[in-house]
Amino acid sequence: MTAQPTEPTPLSSPPPPRVLVVDDEEGPRRVLAEVVKRIGATADTAPSLPQARELLERERYACALIDKNLGNDSGIDLLTLIREKWPETDAIIITGYPNVASAVEALRLGAADYFSKPLEIAGISQRLKTVLERRALVQDHRYMPTLIHADRMATLGRMTAGLAHELNNPLTFLTGHLELAQMSVDALRMMGLAQASEHLEKLSSSLHDAQTGAERIRALIGELRTFSRTSSGDNQRVDVHKAVEGALALCAHELKLRTRVARNYKAQQSAIGDHGRLMQVVINLLVNAAQALTRDFASNLVTISTWDTEGGVVVEIRDNGSGIPEEHLPRLFEPFFTTKPQGVGTGLGLSICRSIVEGAGGRIEVESRVGEGSAFRVHLRAAVP
């Protein structure tokens, strides 16, 4: 008998995203639920904060549409609760009493957007669709390289002012010594060779110092080019100390205003990874460490250590800052989870760091005590000699 071809097993598609609609009035609640359904999501509804909380405890929601005024309760309180307990859930605030102050407050507390009633259906539909697509993008690992590069560009944007300062200092140094050199040249033109020795020495010194300033500028621009370059995704041999020093150069302005930095480099092996991406990880960890510091400059300390293990290299960023509560540690590397104040950061930094490190075959871990500080350790595979 001829074997009959079997029907291919259909690929299972992910379930549609769930959206929670919270409004104490039935009319707007039904309209918003219909908006959710029309963009292909599933809608659950709640007329009050307690009922919304019950649903949030049971289900995972991609987004919540929250009326700012919920009878005796406040939608802002629900927004705050969501950001603290369910950071993977976005929130859009809706109100019949819009004003600038409440909009600013909602956005500062982490709302994805703010809409007023009567609702503009097309506008809220498009915004909700964008929010849901963004969430799906983060959860789909196929798009992680794009997110990594986007995070790198965002980091570069945040550091622009500090980088301009770091470039301006050696540039001022360079132009100043070139002017001094020109003055020495002018003086030489006006005297004989017998009197020229002193001015030639000054000229040589000025040109040497100008070259030093130019080298500083060239080095910083080189690190910028390396950091901003799109990665090929191929893991190569990486000098971890060069990557760390490149990261320190790019965020020097952020660090030197807040803390002392100590180096304790003991690693002898090269690692497997990508130079620019390792810089990205270190910059994220250094900026996080700086933001966690609460003492004065003389007391603040960030220590960067490296050492070899059997078959690996470890890079550790340790601070003596505020520390992280123990209950937050298991979720620290989840997308959108953050222990920073509302409105500071996206909650994607550590998640992207983990993705980069694991993509190189390594792992990242954290140790922290409240009031004592934190240590993040990046374990990388050692390159074969």
Side-chain angles (χ1 to χ4, degrees):
M1 293 178 64
T2 305
Q4 296 296 317
T6 57
E7 290 292 327
T9 304
L11 295 174
S12 59
S13 58
R18 300 187 78 90
V19 176
L20 178 60
V21 178
V22 188
D23 197 307
D24 60 339
E25 296 183 22
E26 184 180 358
R29 201 164 61 239
R30 291 175 61 182
V31 170
L32 288 170
E34 184 62 29
V35 167
V36 171
K37 293 173 186 175
R38 288 192 180 187
I39 64 170
T42 299
D44 291 339
T45 63
S48 67
L49 192 153
Q51 288 173 276
R53 181 166 185 161
E54 286 180 17
L55 288 170
L56 285 160
E57 296 280 3
R58 296 201 309 261
E59 299 284 351
R60 291 179 66 87
Y61 290 97
C63 187
L65 303 177
I66 306 170
D67 185 18
K68 183 175 177 290
N69 299 298
L70 296 171
N72 294 326
D73 294 313
S74 168
I76 296 297
D77 291 340
L78 179 56
L79 167 63
T80 303
L81 181 67
I82 286 173
R83 300 314 300 151
E84 289 176 356
K85 294 196 64 176
W86 301 284
E88 70 279 2
T89 301
D90 269 316
I92 295 175
I93 296 295
I94 299 166
T95 180
Y97 306 94
N99 60 73
V100 172
S102 66
V104 169
E105 181 187 21
L107 295 174
R108 181 183 64 81
L109 290 172
D113 217 326
Y114 180 95
F115 285 88
S116 61
K117 298 176 182 178
L119 295 172
E120 183 191 349
I121 299 302
I124 198 168
S125 296
Q126 184 57 49
R127 186 67 179 108
L128 178 58
K129 187 176 180 181
T130 301
V131 168
L132 296 179
E133 287 174 347
R134 176 174 174 266
R135 287 280 167 174
L137 196 66
V138 171
Q139 293 165 359
D140 191 331
H141 294 291
R142 292 176 301 172
Y143 297 102
M144 187 52 72
T146 302
L147 288 173
I148 289 172
H149 190 67
D151 176 75
R152 193 181 303 183
M153 294 300 99
T155 299
L156 202 57
R158 289 192 296 271
M159 294 190 301
T160 297
L163 289 171
H165 182 82
E166 293 302 311
L167 282 169
N168 192 54
N169 277 349
L171 187 59
T172 301
F173 188 70
L174 172 63
T175 56
H177 281 288
L178 286 175
E179 287 178 14
L180 290 173
Q182 185 60 54
M183 290 168 64
S184 294
V185 170
D186 292 341
L188 285 170
R189 289 197 184 111
M190 300 174 65
M191 62 182 61
L193 290 177
Q195 301 170 297
S197 178
E198 181 182 349
H199 284 284
L200 282 171
E201 189 174 334
K202 289 181 179 179
L203 175 60
S204 176
S205 176
S206 293
L207 289 174
H208 178 270
D209 289 341
Q211 184 178 6
T212 300
E215 288 294 334
R216 286 174 60 190
I217 292 172
R218 184 172 70 174
L220 187 55
I221 290 174
E223 298 297 353
L224 277 170
R225 291 178 63 188
T226 299
F227 182 69
S228 60
R229 188 182 301 126
T230 302
S231 171
S232 65
D234 297 328
N235 289 320
Q236 302 169 353
R237 179 184 294 268
V238 176
D239 184 324
V240 294
H241 297 146
K242 285 185 178 179
V244 169
E245 287 299 319
L248 282 168
L250 292 186
C251 59
H253 191 69
E254 175 89 19
L255 294 171
K256 72 183 181 183
L257 297 177
R258 297 175 184 241
T259 183
R260 296 170 295 128
V261 176
R263 296 168 174 83
N264 182 23
Y265 296 165
K266 294 183 179 179
Q268 300 295 319
Q269 304 177 95
S270 296
I272 294 295
D274 176 271
H275 183 90
R277 287 188 173 184
L278 182 55
M279 283 177 62
Q280 184 175 356
V281 170
V282 175
I283 287 173
N284 263 307
L285 297 179
L286 287 172
V287 171
N288 284 352
Q291 291 174 345
L293 297 169
T294 56
R295 302 176 176 89
D296 58 87
F297 178 88
S299 302
N300 289 338
L301 179 64
V302 172
T303 304
I304 308 167
S305 304
T306 68
W307 62 87
D308 293 325
T309 62
E310 186 177 349
V313 182
V314 179
V315 179
E316 180 189 80
I317 311 294
R318 180 180 292 272
D319 66 72
N320 63 347
S322 55
I324 303 165
E326 186 177 357
E327 63 269 21
H328 290 164
L329 294 178
R331 303 187 62 192
L332 210 55
F333 296 98
E334 292 181 9
F336 304 106
F337 183 80
T338 179
T339 60
K340 296 179 183 179
Q342 297 290 350
V344 179
T346 62
L348 284 175
L350 287 178
S351 173
I352 287 174
C353 285
R354 182 177 66 176
S355 178
I356 290 173
V357 173
E358 291 181 351
R363 72 180 193 279
I364 184 170
E365 62 187 23
V366 59
E367 169 192 311
S368 188
R369 289 182 181 274
V370 173
E372 296 181 16
S374 304
F376 286 83
R377 297 186 195 95
V378 177
H379 296 258
L380 299 167
R381 292 181 297 152
V384 177

